[in-house]
Amino acid sequence: MRALIFGAAGMLGTDLCAAAPRGTSLVALDAAAADITDRDRVVAALRDARPDWVINAAAYTAVDGAETERAVADAVNGVAPGYIAQEAARLGAAMAHFSTDYVFAGTATSPYEESDPVAPVNAYGASKRRGEEAVLASGVHALVLRTQWLFGRAGKSFPRTMWERATAGVATRVVNDQVGRPTYTRDLAAVTWQLVEQRASGIVHATNAGAAATWFDVAQAVFERAGAPSLLSPCPTADYPTPARRPSYSVLSTQRLEGLLSRPLPDWRDALGRFLDELSPARP
């Protein structure tokens, strides 16, 4: 299989490259090598690589920044995926693209399914929804993976920040009224390749399994691991205002994913533990 990855140097892209199945002929392009907002460069990259699959892991991910940089967020998240999808379709390639729980309003009381109505509450979510629509309307064989609350070895993430604060002895307040499920990019990368090999298509929700969690629950697991639980306290979202509104409940149902794999992804607490193992000093 020949595969092309856009956004290969990012947190998810790094793990996608590392998890590529044996025998894959892989072209890994970062933002410097291929600006996906430049249609000509996208076309050239795809025509040079002639992939069986193109995986788009490139994204504008600054949720608060998108409120003031709407044009930039929309160019990267909304328009550029369409460039990739249209050229992939012309070449007969398939495409995997990543989206977000933020396409939903966050007013549900049970996990969102793939077919549930979308209603983004911030500019970032709206830009990602436009990207979904562009990919799905292109005619390409498309796999759109909605995920949420990513953390991984490469790059910044909420669990990493919490670990740094806990180990530095910094008292921390974290919101306890936004509900989702964390996702380890190493696990997401592995399942992406499995779905690619199956030629899965359509929208699939992909997150780690386990009970729904608040950001405070995630932070609590990290602070406890660091031996500093007393440094952490909960607070409501109202006490931590941000430029972008966040959905209060955005848990994604992974029933379709589990049917495709015949199993769920590992529990998020297990995934978080493995991630912290990588950050922790070697144990005697």
Side-chain angles (χ1 to χ4, degrees):
M1 173 174 60
R2 296 186 307 279
L4 168 63
I5 297 178
F6 287 110
M11 183 166 60
L12 176 55
T14 298
D15 281 332
L16 283 165
C17 291
R22 182 174 299 180
T24 301
S25 176
L26 186 65
V27 177
L29 301 177
D30 62 13
D35 176 359
I36 64 169
T37 66
D38 185 330
R39 185 171 201 146
D40 290 340
R41 294 182 71 180
V42 167
V43 169
L46 281 159
R47 292 184 180 178
D48 286 347
R50 295 282 167 174
D52 300 303
W53 276 85
V54 55
I55 301 177
N56 181 34
Y60 179 104
T61 59
V63 175
D64 289 325
E67 295 299 310
T68 54
E69 295 185 320
R70 289 176 182 247
V72 177
D74 197 56
V76 177
N77 294 344
V79 178
Y83 295 161
I84 299 170
Q86 290 160 17
E87 186 59 24
R90 277 192 285 269
L91 295 174
M95 179 178 178
H97 175 70
F98 296 93
S99 191
T100 175
D101 58 314
Y102 280 21
V103 300
F104 293 113
T107 55
T109 55
S110 59
Y112 282 101
E113 297 182 357
E114 288 84 352
S115 59
D116 284 337
V118 295
V121 297
N122 56 43
Y124 167 74
S127 72
K128 293 296 286 183
R129 177 55 185 167
R130 283 191 285 273
E132 289 185 358
E133 291 172 333
V135 171
L136 294 170
S138 69
V140 75
H141 180 99
L143 170 64
V144 175
L145 291 158
R146 288 186 185 140
T147 189
Q148 64 181 153
W149 295 20
L150 295 186
F151 63 94
R153 190 71 177 88
K156 297 179 180 179
S157 66
F158 178 77
R160 180 186 291 274
T161 299
M162 293 300 101
W163 177 257
E164 291 170 350
R165 292 179 69 88
T167 55
V170 179
T172 302
R173 300 175 74 217
V174 174
V175 297
N176 67 347
D177 54 2
Q178 295 174 27
V179 182
R181 263 201 306 241
T183 308
Y184 190 17
T185 52
R186 180 169 290 185
D187 292 342
L188 179 59
V191 76
T192 298
W193 285 113
Q194 291 172 47
L195 294 173
V196 162
E197 291 184 312
Q198 290 183 21
R199 287 192 61 83
S201 64
I203 299 173
V204 178
H205 290 172
T207 74
N208 278 105
T214 66
W215 288 113
F216 177 78
D217 293 329
V218 179
Q220 187 172 48
V222 175
F223 274 74
E224 287 177 353
R225 171 69 178 268
S230 63
L231 291 173
L232 184 69
S233 58
C235 70
T237 296
D239 286 359
Y240 190 71
T242 57
R245 179 183 165 195
R246 266 68 170 175
S248 59
Y249 181 97
S250 59
V251 180
L252 299 177
S253 169
T254 56
Q255 288 186 349
R256 183 174 182 222
L257 176 72
E258 291 165 23
L260 290 166
L261 299 178
S262 300
R263 59 174 176 78
L265 266 67
D267 189 286
W268 68 263
R269 289 184 180 274
D270 170 83
L272 181 61
R274 285 182 280 123
F275 171 70
L276 295 177
D277 285 343
E278 297 187 56
L279 299 186
S280 305
R283 298 173 182 173

